[in-house]
Amino acid sequence: MVSMEIRFSGSGGQGLLLSARILAAALTAQGRNVAQSNAYEPVSRGGLSRSDLVISDGEADFPLARRLDYMLVLDEAAAGASVPLLTPQSLVLCDAERVQTVPQGAFRTLSLPFTETARGLGNPRVTNIVALGALSALGQVCAPEPLLDSVLAMTPSKLARLNRDAFAAGLQMGETEPA
């Protein structure tokens, strides 16, 4: 049974839970089993927020991450909170602008310009979609085409072009990083 665990972490209002739902939908459409759990502070914006995906070809029997294969960190508030769950095989992707204290340890960490890229596209609110594209390219968690289909299906149609551009920018960002 092949399994993996992914944590999307940052602060409330960054679209982390949406990103996790988008990836979960794409993986489910490909026949994978996915359990999702969310944790967030009871504020609408700014509090610590995270969403975990436990993905399996068999039964995903426990929804909480215990050993992270991938972690996406979009805000300083979440930078150190999950380090004990990382292993030497883990890949941590951090927003270069919003995460100053990049997690350190016996795992691979990349600081990438997610927010800067989204701002360059005209709207920093698609930072999560840029990061999802980079995760797709670097982690090879899900093929890009079904993931983009899921992005477009789960976001407002009036933002389709922006989300398509954000996802493509994230893919390109991930493809230019050394493996």
Side-chain angles (χ1 to χ4, degrees), residues 18-148:
L18 174 61
S19 294
R21 283 196 332 257
I22 288 169
L23 179 56
L27 290 166
T28 300
Q30 292 183 316
R32 305 290 304 271
N33 295 311
V34 181
Q36 180 178 0
S37 63
N38 303 311
Y40 47 88
E41 293 179 353
V43 295
S44 61
R45 298 228 181 268
L48 185 61
S49 176
R50 76 168 191 258
S51 187
D52 292 348
L53 296 182
V54 176
I55 304 150
S56 178
D57 289 332
E59 187 174 328
D61 58 355
F62 189 70
L64 301 178
R66 296 177 281 196
R67 178 199 47 81
L68 296 173
D69 297 289
Y70 301 98
M71 184 168 71
L72 181 62
V73 184
L74 295 185
D75 191 80
E76 180 70 22
S82 302
V83 171
L85 300 178
L86 298 169
T87 71
Q89 293 76 38
S90 299
L91 173 61
V92 180
L93 303 178
C94 296
D95 186 302
E97 181 176 314
R98 296 190 55 122
V99 179
Q100 294 77 39
T101 311
V102 176
Q104 300 294 312
F107 43 84
R108 184 171 177 221
T109 304
L110 295 172
S111 278
L112 299 170
F114 300 137
T115 299
E116 178 185 339
T117 300
R119 192 179 304 109
L121 292 170
N123 190 338
R125 291 190 58 135
V126 294
T127 297
N128 62 324
I129 304 301
V130 173
L132 199 53
L135 177 63
S136 176
L138 286 162
Q140 300 176 351
V141 172
C142 182
E145 297 79 16
L147 188 51
L148 177 58

